[in-house]
């Protein structure tokens, strides 16, 4: 009896084959693309169909029950399992049937039963098949289904659950297997994001501290919260062209998992990208972002999206179960192409596990290394260097008798301060290179001036070490060189500082800083002039009156200079 039925079914199948190409489900031609023949465009709205499996892990040879079900009926289907990291690759493993009346095995990729399809266009709402894992299975496997609702309405290659081999990392749980369409059109957000719930229901990175994007238009805001296997991100900030954020394993740019929200004439496109080095981010062709929404108002770009913690279909994306630094950047864009950010990105002060407990993060736009660079250079040249020079220029005649470790006091102090200047300059000089990892072409004249100062600075102690004896006939050459190079270095250093304090990585309140620095330079010059006049005064007295200075006069003279030194 059963044999008769089978025979009839086969007979029926053969008859149908001659009538229609697709109704019988013999769709081997679609093995690769999973695209039904003679069909137009796949439907891109959310599909009413779901693929589920009864296990999240497997070992070679395991049987996995795969269920395709729908809240609406469907007529045709094609189910395959593929390597999750290569969903365009060939079908793997083989299926056995649960109900041969409505399903049949196909030979794709030369493997018998590596795909299943319908046997007729009878309406159904559920179909089950068993997938047997092959002996050489990839670490993660994804199920995919093309589902035909009616003749012209179908959904192409709906992504199903990802399962992983027992010894591999956990795959998304099966709660995420709802076949929401990834290309669902983004929604317009009805209202701005809010910082309410930061630290309790979501993690937030906010700049300036504790601003609220729902009321402040001048607020950079990034939040993320985990629900099941997906993480939702919200990004907001005032920008002409784009706002973006990146997950980074270190505090440097490059090799980051970046997400861009680009304003293209009032419409925002939300894209996942990958940065290698400091080049233009490579926008991903694979869509891993779901639940996309955006909003533009008052010059503020806002966007949100969700993605799953693991994205085996796009291995460039970072797994969100790990700890990352967060970068928030913004800038201008043209025709949907972003320009390099003109502001230093906001970098979170520490790294955090994205799926970890909610936290409020703080960030800084000024890297610590660059701050140290600025501080060291200021101490070196405004304090140590200029005082050391004053010692040599105006304090030689003082303390003529006293010595310190066998040398004149002025010389000891001069040598000590100048060595300190060289040391601080050398250490500070290294920081920007450590931070950038290479020569910065965007810092203007500052790095060139800085290098000149560094070279001149190194010349000084070398020259001093090989100086001729004080009574040598060539001593004057050394005196002039030492004086000239020292002054040149100081002048270039000061000019360099003026360029340096305007660097965006320092984020100083320009033009205030320039004012302060100018005032200091003027003060130093006045100080030198006064000391010079004083010196001339003393010498003139010496010559004109040929008077031997009394003890008290000497003391007065010394006191005057010391007061100046302290100031
Ligand atoms: C997709 O399907 C929905 C409902 O099933 C239908 O309203 C819509 O017109 C379809 N879109 C396309 C492009 O076929
Ligand atoms: C899934 O279903 C298959 C077929 O019914 C069965 O062999 C397998 O043990 C099930 N796996 C789990 C984890 O329940
Ligand atoms: C996160 O998952 C990856 C694989 O997806 C794994 O290698 C890593 O150890 C996990 N990290 C943590 C902190 O659990």
């Amino acid at each position: 009896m059963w044999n008769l039925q089978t025979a009839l079914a086969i007979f029926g199948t053969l008859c149908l084959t001659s009538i229609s190409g697709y109704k019988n489900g013999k769709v081997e031609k679609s093995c690769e693309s999973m695209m039904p023949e003679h069909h137009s465009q796949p439907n891109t709205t959310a599909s009413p169909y779901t693929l589920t499996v009864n296990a999240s892990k497997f070992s070679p040879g395991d049987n996995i029950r795969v269920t395709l079900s729908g809240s609406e009926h469907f007529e045709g289907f094609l189910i395959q399992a593929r390597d999750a990291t290569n969903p365009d690759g060939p079908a793997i493993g083989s299926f056995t049937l649960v109900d041969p009346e409505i399903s049949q095995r196909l030979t794709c990729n030369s493997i018998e039963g590596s795909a299943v399809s319908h046997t007729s266009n009878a309406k159904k709402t559920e179909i089950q098949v068993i997938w047997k894992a092959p002996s050489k299975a990839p670490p993660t496997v994804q199920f995919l289904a093309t589902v035909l609702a009616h003749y012209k309405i179908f959904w192409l290659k709906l992504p199903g659950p990802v399962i992983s081999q027992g010894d591999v990392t956990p795959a998304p749980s099966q709660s995420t297997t709802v076949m929401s369409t990834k290309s669902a059109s983004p929604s317009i957000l009805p209202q701005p994001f809010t910082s309410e719930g930061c630290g309790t229901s979501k993690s937030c990175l906010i700049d300036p501290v504790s601003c609220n994007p729902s009321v402040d238009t001048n607020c950079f805001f990034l939040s993320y919260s985990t629900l099941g296997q997906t993480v939702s991100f919200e990004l907001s900030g005032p920008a002409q062209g784009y706002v973006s954020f990146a997950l980074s394993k270190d505090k440097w740019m490059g090799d980051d998992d970046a997400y861009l929200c680009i304003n293209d004439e009032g419409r925002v496109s939300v894209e996942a990208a990958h940065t290698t080095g400091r080049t233009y981010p490579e926008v991903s062709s694979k869509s891993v972002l779901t639940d996309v929404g955006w909003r533009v108002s008052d010059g503020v770009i806002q966007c949100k999206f969700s993605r799953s913690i693991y994205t085996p279909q796009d291995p460039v994306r970072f797994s969100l179960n790990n700890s990352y630094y967060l970068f928030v950047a913004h800038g201008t864009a043209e025709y949907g192409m972003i320009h390099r950010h003109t502001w230093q990105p906001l970098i979170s002060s520490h790294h955090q596990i994205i799926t970890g407990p909610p936290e409020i993060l703080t960030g800084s736009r000024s890297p610590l290394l660059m701050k140290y660079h600025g501080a060291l250079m200021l101490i070196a040249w405004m304090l140590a260097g200029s005082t050391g020079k004053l010692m040599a220029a105006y304090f030689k005649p003082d303390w003529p008798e006293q010595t310190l470790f066998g040398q004149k006091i002025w010389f000891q102090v001069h040598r000590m301060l100048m060595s300190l200047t060289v040391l601080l300059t050398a250490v500070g000089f290294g920081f920007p290179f450590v931070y950038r990892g290479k020569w910065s072409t965007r810092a203007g004249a500052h790095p060139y001036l800085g290098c000149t100062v560094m070279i001149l600075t190194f010349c000084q102690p070398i020259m001093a070490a090989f100086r001729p004896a004080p009574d040598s006939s060539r001593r004057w050459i050394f005196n002039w060189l030492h004086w000239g190079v020292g002054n040149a270095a100081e002048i270039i250093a000061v000019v360099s500082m003026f360029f340096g304090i305007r660097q965006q990585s320092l984020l100083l309140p320009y033009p205030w800083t320039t004012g302060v620095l100018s005032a200091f330079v003027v003060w130093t010059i006045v100080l030198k002039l006064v000391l010079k006049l004083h010196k001339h005064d003393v010498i003139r007295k010496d010559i004109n009156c040929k008077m031997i200075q009394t003890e008290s006069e000497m003391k007065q003279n010394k006191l005057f200079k010391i007061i100046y030194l302290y100031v």
Side-chain angles (χ1 to χ4, degrees):
M1 189 60 196
W2 190 86
N3 278 343
L4 185 63
Q5 271 184 355
T6 316
L8 278 172
I10 291 167
F11 179 64
T13 308
L14 286 172
C15 285
L16 281 166
T17 311
S18 54
I19 300 163
S20 162
Y22 94 93
K23 279 179 187 152
N24 65 6
K26 293 273 176 208
V27 290
E28 268 104 347
K29 279 186 181 157
S30 306
C31 270
E32 236 186 276
S33 63
M34 297 188 76
M35 175 87 178
E37 280 202 294
H38 319 300
H39 278 70
S40 48
Q41 284 298 307
N43 194 317
T44 54
T45 58
S47 92
Y49 309 110
T50 315
L51 259 188
T52 51
V53 290
N54 72 342
S56 60
K57 289 181 181 266
F58 72 95
S59 308
D62 274 7
N63 288 322
I64 309 263
R65 185 194 301 273
V66 183
T67 308
L68 171 65
S69 57
S71 55
E72 285 171 32
H73 60 74
F74 54 93
E75 292 182 3
F77 62 87
L78 177 66
I79 302 174
Q80 289 184 3
R82 294 184 174 185
D83 183 344
T85 59
N86 182 19
D88 296 328
I92 50 175
S94 65
F95 291 93
T96 50
L97 304 177
V98 172
D99 187 353
E101 290 246 314
I102 53 169
S103 55
Q104 62 182 330
R105 303 167 80 213
L106 300 178
T107 302
C108 288
N109 185 28
S110 320
I111 304 168
E112 203 190 338
S114 59
V116 273
S117 69
H118 54 280
T119 51
S120 75
N121 62 348
K123 293 182 164 71
K124 41 209 160 257
T125 54
E126 189 183 282
I127 148 90
Q128 287 197 353
V129 283
I130 309 290
W131 182 76
K132 190 178 167 77
S135 52
K136 280 186 190 149
T140 52
V141 170
Q142 183 167 34
F143 294 93
L144 300 159
T146 289
V147 187
L148 216 95
H150 306 291
Y151 184 63
K152 283 285 176 198
I153 299 177
F154 71 102
W155 280 263
L156 180 65
K157 234 167 134 179
L158 291 168
V162 176
I163 55 171
S164 54
Q165 288 207 44
D167 52 339
V168 204
T169 52
S173 85
Q174 301 323 312
S175 60
T176 55
T177 56
V178 179
M179 297 192 291
S180 59
T181 49
K182 290 173 168 181
S183 41
S185 55
S187 60
I188 311 266
L189 300 170
Q191 64 216 14
F193 302 133
T194 168
S195 59
E196 251 167 64
C198 282
T200 52
S201 62
K202 57 188 179 187
S203 291
C204 303
L205 173 62
I206 308 176
D207 179 61
V209 176
S210 72
C211 65
N212 187 346
S214 65
V215 286
D216 306 332
T217 52
N218 200 8
C219 182
F220 287 93
F221 172 83
L222 169 68
S223 84
Y224 47 92
S225 54
T226 312
L227 186 69
Q229 288 294 313
T230 56
V231 178
S232 328
F233 291 92
E234 295 173 333
L235 177 65
S236 166
Q240 288 292 312
Y242 73 95
V243 284
S244 67
F245 75 89
L247 309 174
S248 181
K249 290 169 189 153
D250 48 38
K251 283 195 158 191
W252 288 271
M253 279 196 35
D255 189 29
D256 301 330
D257 187 10
Y259 299 87
L260 311 165
C261 298
I262 308 169
N263 182 358
D264 188 11
E265 296 181 346
R267 294 186 58 82
V268 174
S269 61
V270 181
E271 282 167 320
H274 184 76
T275 61
T276 40
R278 296 181 152 253
T279 54
Y280 194 86
E282 244 171 83
V283 171
S284 169
S285 56
K286 304 192 177 75
S287 59
V288 293
L289 310 184
T290 55
D291 189 25
V292 173
W294 58 268
R295 184 172 194 273
V296 179
S297 81
D298 301 327
V300 176
I301 302 175
Q302 304 204 306
C303 61
K304 66 153 197 171
F305 65 87
S306 301
R307 57 153 277 198
S308 49
I309 297 171
Y310 309 95
T311 51
Q313 70 270 34
D314 191 356
V316 197
R317 305 265 78 80
F318 292 174
S319 291
L320 300 179
N321 67 335
N322 284 322
S323 199
Y324 302 107
Y325 286 101
L326 294 157
F327 284 57
V328 174
H330 67 288
T332 54
E334 212 172 23
Y335 312 118
M337 298 282 284
I338 65 168
H339 293 170
R340 190 183 180 276
H341 48 81
T342 44
W343 278 65
Q344 201 66 16
L346 176 69
I347 305 171
S348 63
S349 55
H350 60 282
H351 51 93
Q352 201 218 8
I353 298 177
I354 304 300
T355 52
E359 227 187 293
I360 296 179
L361 294 158
T362 54
S364 164
R365 293 183 188 274
S366 176
L368 216 53
L369 273 180
M370 298 306 265
K371 275 188 177 149
Y372 285 149
H373 166 75
L376 286 186
M377 290 307 192
L378 287 186
I379 294 172
W381 291 96
M382 286 170 75
L383 228 58
S386 63
T387 316
K389 261 192 67 193
L390 285 185
M391 287 311 289
Y394 305 108
F395 288 79
K396 276 185 197 173
D398 304 287
W399 309 290
E401 312 305 330
Q402 287 134 300
T403 57
L404 200 63
F405 304 115
Q407 296 276 3
K408 294 240 173 68
I409 288 184
W410 77 263
F411 179 73
Q412 287 291 26
V413 174
H414 172 74
R415 187 163 66 176
M416 189 195 75
L417 286 175
M418 285 338 237
S419 304
L420 186 64
T421 306
V422 175
L423 188 74
L424 290 176
T425 309
V427 172
F429 183 77
F431 286 167
F433 293 95
V434 172
Y435 173 64
R436 294 271 162 179
K438 65 174 180 87
W439 182 259
S440 172
T441 51
R442 292 193 173 85
H446 180 75
Y448 298 97
L449 293 173
C451 284
T452 314
V453 172
M454 191 70 251
I455 293 166
L456 293 179
T457 310
F458 266 132
C459 284
Q460 287 292 77
I462 294 170
M463 251 194 289
F466 295 107
R467 67 183 180 277
D471 47 7
S472 159
S473 60
R474 284 166 304 168
R475 174 73 177 198
W476 63 273
I477 304 180
F478 163 75
N479 284 348
W480 279 104
L481 267 182
H482 196 63
W483 180 87
V485 172
N487 275 307
E490 189 181 24
I491 290 167
I492 299 172
V494 168
V495 175
S496 175
M497 276 194 273
F498 275 102
F499 280 106
I501 55 170
R502 293 177 62 176
Q503 296 290 327
Q504 45 158 310
S505 55
L506 269 186
L507 209 80
L508 293 172
Y510 179 82
W512 276 97
T513 43
T514 308
V516 172
L517 193 58
S518 308
F520 188 86
V521 170
V522 170
W523 165 244
T524 317
I525 292 171
V526 168
L527 185 64
K528 277 184 195 165
L529 278 178
V530 171
L531 281 174
K532 208 174 202 97
L533 287 178
H534 183 77
K535 186 173 166 185
H536 277 298
D537 211 28
V538 172
I539 291 171
R540 207 179 48 232
K541 260 191 214 157
D542 277 358
I543 297 167
N544 289 356
C545 311
K546 295 227 184 306
M547 239 169 57
I548 299 159
Q549 283 180 319
T550 61
E551 198 82 329
S552 71
E553 256 186 322
M554 287 257 292
K555 273 206 178 123
Q556 205 185 342
N557 186 7
K558 215 186 277 181
L559 196 66
F560 177 75
K561 286 185 191 173
I562 288 170
I563 289 169
Y564 257 103
L565 199 57
Y566 275 124
V567 173

